[in-house]
Amino acid sequence: MTKSVLAVARQLMRRRQFGSAISLLQQYYEYYKGTFEYYLMLGTSYLYVGDVGSASRNYDEARKIKLENSELYLGQAAIFLRRGETDRAIQYYLDIQNFDPNNVTAREAMEFIRGKGDYKTICEWTESGRIMRFYPPLGMNPDIIRNSILCGLVLGACISAGILIGGKFLHGGERAAAPRTAAENAVSKTFQRLELTEDEARNAQDLSLSDGEVHFQLSGTEIRRSYDSAIEFVKAGRDNAARVEINRIRSSNAVPSIKKKAEDLQVTLKVPTVDSLKDNYSYQTVAEDPLLYRGCYVVWDGRLANVESRDDGSVRCTLLVGYDTKKTILGMVPVLFKEAPSPQLDTEKPVRILGVVGEDAGGTVTLTVCSSFQPLKGDSLPEWRPAK
């Protein structure tokens, strides 16, 4: 039986593919609008990607349909907790205990507030991602279960291979060159369809394309190296770095079949959060070659200016990159909020934005916002570093 859209979206959420879940649910808005589970899942997905405004709006819609639900209350409580509004968060946790007295997340959240719930600690936990332990639980990630089983099988295969090779060596057999490990073969098999064929490896260049027709004129070796790097970055969970290599190939003189494989590889990439982003690129780096970084996710700090609300509910403004300290403006970047941020952002306070890099017709770097953060108190942003 074919799974419903909601079932597929819930499975994507369990696999922590929140961007894919959001995209899928948005496509079926007309079909599922007015459905509690629809708004609930959208709210939780937005919460995990750090878009608190969209999470709050969807939770509010869900609450109009149904009041008593642990996931809903935990999500709304987490939003208040992130903002430092601990009194309101505690009220939600107490309400949960009235209809779900054994809820572990609510109990642990209240213990955290009572023991460590000062604003500075909440900001630190929010920035580090530890605050997510108080988000609505998603259950075990099935990919972890699958990978654990795979690792167990691979480990067993490695041990067996080691015993066989060791036995041959002890019995005087010739010592052969070490074969690829079972783990390497298992990973390689996952990407087998996307590996370059022998013909592509030998003839990687499209000789019909001249310098003026492509952005990057690469040698065959450079094309192969860039494509191999993209695959290795995906395997390592460095999706942003993979995007750079994919952009390099798609805008190069690589043959069409390699470009198509690069596009297929792009489908495997995930939407990061502020806490999971591993490779961040500065404004100066992106501005040198916006095409190379198109579609990458970046975290930039600054202040907002020229805020303009549109009839479609979106908000356009300018991010003064680097001006969060009011010392230096590194760049002035046009920014799009597809939905008005909630609460409304203060132009007098610094802001941290996770956004997708774009480029307008004039070649200017643009950002489409995924999530934003402003301190409730003080006039400085907490330190942020890319994930390891």
Side-chain angles (χ1 to χ4, degrees), residues 338-362:
K338 291 184 178 179
E339 295 181 336
S342 178
Q344 184 176 350
L345 296 178
D346 187 348
T347 57
E348 297 299 318
K349 284 182 172 289
V351 64
R352 174 167 293 153
I353 287 178
L354 169 66
V356 182
V357 173
E359 183 182 10
D360 64 16

Side-chain angles (χ1 to χ4, degrees), residues 23-132:
S23 298
L24 177 63
L25 291 168
Q26 287 177 334
Q27 293 177 38
Y28 289 87
Y29 169 75
E30 292 298 328
Y31 186 82
Y32 284 107
K33 65 180 179 180
T35 305
F36 172 78
E37 186 70 13
Y38 175 82
Y39 292 120
L40 179 66
M41 292 166 64
L42 260 180
T44 300
S45 295
Y46 275 122
L47 179 62
Y48 270 95
V49 300
D51 188 345
V52 177
S54 296
S56 181
R57 281 190 293 274
N58 281 282
Y59 281 147
D60 288 344
E61 291 297 322
R63 191 162 185 144
K64 293 176 184 177
I65 302 169
K66 184 178 179 180
L67 286 178
E68 294 188 353
N69 179 273
S70 296
E71 180 178 339
L72 174 60
Y73 273 54
L74 286 174
Q76 292 187 302
I79 291 173
F80 289 121
L81 181 58
R82 284 173 56 105
R83 295 173 180 169
E85 300 178 37
T86 53
D87 289 345
R88 299 192 67 179
I90 285 178
Q91 186 57 57
Y92 275 79
Y93 293 131
L94 291 173
D95 289 342
I96 292 173
Q97 291 192 328
N98 287 334
F99 61 82
D100 186 7
N102 296 319
N103 192 286
V104 175
T105 304
R107 184 177 68 250
E108 291 180 348
M110 285 194 292
E111 291 174 356
F112 165 76
I113 292 172
R114 289 163 180 161
K116 304 177 182 178
D118 60 279
Y119 182 70
K120 180 181 178 181
T121 302
I122 290 173
C123 287
E124 291 174 351
W125 279 51
T126 299
E127 285 298 305
S128 67
R130 285 184 290 175
I131 202 76
M132 289 185 184

